[in-house]
Amino acid sequence: MPCQRQQHVWLRFLFCCSDVQYADIPDGTSFHGTPRFYRNALVALQRAVSSGWVPAQVDFGIHFGDIVDGYQARDGQERSEQALSDVLQAFSRLPQPTYHMLGNHCLYNLPRARLNHRLRITSLLDPAAAADGASYYAFSPHPAWLFVVLDAYDVSLLGWPVDHPRHLQAEALLAQHNPNQVR
């Protein structure tokens, strides 16, 4: 009996993006004085996902955090929600799903639970992790690939209510290891 070769379907392309940091605010500078073009961040993302730069056969997109800039939070949660909607609309032009991870700027703008819902992280979690507010997950765009998305702010002062166990754990760690008064 001749040996049959197994046909493989490989991942062809993925769209990687980090730190969109869009804000519907006038241009400015970072804390270090670097020029920042907040509104143009959305224009650049729209161009990237709708031009020939992204192949039509992209298998999935992944965004590595900071979808909305922290300065947007100064205008309130409603404006942060709208900025997030604007960016998600741009990502929706990709022919396949985009997976997201949380960044500190995300958590300056909106509560973790809201971000998990809007970024469709909640739908990727098992029920116990979702109920606990987790933002880490795994996905498999192909049987040969497993992507594990971590949450760098799982134990953090950001994104948790002040009485949440992970916030309290972060406070204890900082008190033990950080000699600075401002934490």
Side-chain angles (χ1 to χ4, degrees), residues 17 25 29 33 38 41 43 50 75 87 99 120 127 157 165-166 169:
C17 180
I25 61 173
T29 59
Y38 299 106
V43 173
S50 65
D75 291 337
V87 177
Y99 299 91
R120 297 186 180 153
L157 300 179
R166 291 210 180 92
Q169 183 181 2

Side-chain angles (χ1 to χ4, degrees), residues 51-149:
S51 69
W53 185 77
V54 175
Q57 65 271 30
V58 68
D59 291 295
F60 66 95
I62 190 158
H63 179 258
F64 294 111
D66 292 344
I67 198 165
V68 176
D69 192 83
Y71 281 137
Q72 183 66 67
R74 294 177 178 175
D75 291 337
Q77 195 165 336
E78 188 176 318
R79 295 284 306 272
S80 292
E81 285 274 3
Q82 183 57 53
L84 179 60
S85 292
D86 293 343
V87 177
L88 291 176
Q89 177 63 34
F91 276 116
S92 75
R93 292 182 178 162
L94 289 173
Q96 299 296 330
T98 300
Y99 299 91
H100 299 275
M101 61 176 43
L102 299 184
N104 60 318
H105 287 261
C106 301
L107 295 167
Y108 297 149
N109 278 278
L110 295 167
R112 173 182 293 270
R114 186 70 183 143
L115 288 163
N116 282 352
H117 174 74
R118 295 287 312 275
L119 299 176
R120 297 186 180 153
I121 293 171
T122 304
S123 66
L124 300 166
L125 298 170
D126 67 69
D132 191 38
S135 299
Y136 53 83
Y137 59 95
F139 67 97
S140 180
H142 181 276
W145 290 85
L146 177 68
F147 287 80
V148 177
V149 179

